[in-house]
Amino acid sequence: MLENPRSPRVRAVAKLTKRSARTETGLFLLEGPQSVREALTYRPEAIVELFATPSGWEKHPDIRGKAADADIDVEYVTEYVLNAMADTVTPQGLVAVVHQTPTSVRDIFEASPRLVAICEEVRDPGNLGTIIRAADAAGADAVVLTGRTVDPYNPKVVRATTGSLFHLPVSVGGDLADVVTRAHAAGLRILAADVKGDDLLVARAEGTLAEPTGWLFGNEARGLEDDALALADRVLKLPIFGRAESLNLATAASVCLYESAFAQRADSAG
């Protein structure tokens, strides 16, 4: 059992809360049973190390079974050690170190996707994690991150995805113009979500949302810059029916992705 929270090994794990360490090692940190469970289910080969307190390990027989099936050994640690490793105050008894597995932009668009979320300059970890989760829930084929969008392996992003990071391809560090070019070549229309756009309900009535689509989402504070908007085939906004000044980015992205998911499924069913 690891008992010293100041040991080099524990410190190496704890450093993964910093982007510099994640970039240097190609690894990232998972905390809590939900994230560990999803990694064991969908990407067990990516798990490098699995740590647990004895009580945390005992609480989750399904995780124990998945780890055994994947031939992954657990290393027991004390609560103090686990807390020293984790980014959260309460990691709930489980932490894992995992290989980053980004997908190339080329591979994403060569797979003929019908619905993709493209995030340009999204800076808030909670927003990005929620967008990845919403894209997964809406049945999107991939999420593409461009510009200075926050690192998807940031612990706050990882937690906000609640495991969706392991369910669909995520591309990192793309150039927006190149991404749009590849999306167009794959037959996707780029729809930018921005308050400067046309009413989304009009596009819904026209049947635009049933087409293969790449939804483009911008920065929380500034939205999309003019040069980014110019790359889009159409700019759309969500109508505000109440008194709210605006919608949170992740909420707006969730609605847009689901609008496309509904339209595409209705179109294929019809």
Side-chain angles (χ1 to χ4, degrees):
M1 179 182 288
L2 283 176
E3 298 180 334
N4 182 2
R6 297 182 182 85
S7 71
R9 191 173 179 197
V10 174
R11 287 182 175 181
V13 175
K15 282 182 180 178
L16 295 176
T17 60
K18 306 297 183 184
R19 184 164 191 165
S20 58
R22 295 194 299 272
T23 300
E24 181 181 342
T25 62
L27 304 173
F28 71 106
L29 192 64
L30 282 185
E31 303 172 57
Q34 179 61 24
S35 293
V36 170
R37 182 181 291 110
E38 296 305 300
L40 283 168
T41 302
Y42 294 96
R43 299 277 178 86
E45 72 285 354
I47 296 176
V48 178
E49 295 178 294
L50 178 58
F51 302 96
T53 63
S55 60
W57 193 240
E58 189 63 29
K59 286 179 183 176
H60 302 286
D62 63 320
I63 292 177
R64 296 201 305 271
K66 289 177 183 294
D69 291 343
D71 198 26
I72 295 172
D73 294 326
V74 65
E75 178 136 17
Y76 288 123
V77 299
T78 65
E79 291 281 356
Y80 291 114
V81 165
L82 202 75
N83 289 338
M85 289 176 169
D87 182 61
T88 56
V89 177
T90 54
Q92 301 179 62
L94 292 165
V95 162
V97 174
V98 185
H99 283 294
Q100 299 175 23
T101 55
T103 303
S104 72
V105 172
R106 181 190 64 192
D107 287 348
I108 283 174
F109 290 109
E110 284 185 351
S112 301
R114 285 185 54 81
L115 182 58
V116 175
I118 304 169
C119 297
E120 167 74 357
E121 306 284 346
V122 175
R123 304 298 293 160
D124 181 82
N127 276 336
L128 180 60
T130 302
I131 291 171
I132 293 172
R133 181 180 182 182
D136 179 22
D141 298 292
V143 177
V144 176
L145 311 183
T146 63
R148 292 178 298 165
T149 292
V150 64
D151 177 15
Y153 302 108
N154 176 304
K156 293 181 176 64
V157 177
V158 175
R159 289 197 297 275
T161 71
T162 64
S164 288
L165 188 62
F166 301 108
H167 299 169
L168 77 173
V170 177
S171 175
V172 179
D175 173 74
L176 181 58
D178 175 65
V179 168
V180 170
T181 297
R182 291 179 183 273
H184 282 154
L188 275 70
R189 177 190 291 253
I190 301 299
L191 300 180
D194 195 273
V195 294
K196 304 181 187 75
D198 302 323
D199 194 319
L200 182 140
L201 295 180
V202 174
R204 179 206 277 177
E206 294 170 352
T208 300
L209 301 180
E211 300 173 4
T213 296
W215 271 107
L216 175 57
F217 307 112
N219 181 266
E220 293 85 351
R222 302 186 308 275
L224 288 160
E225 302 289 351
D226 289 343
D227 57 349
L229 290 171
L231 295 171
D233 298 296
R234 191 163 182 183
V235 182
L236 298 174
K237 66 179 177 182
L238 290 175
I240 301 291
F241 300 117
R243 297 190 183 93
E245 183 271 331
S246 64
L247 283 171
N248 165 272
L249 171 64
T251 302
S254 300
V255 174
C256 293
L257 291 165
Y258 260 96
E259 282 282 347
S260 286
F262 291 147
Q264 289 179 359
R265 281 158 177 73
D267 188 61
S268 61

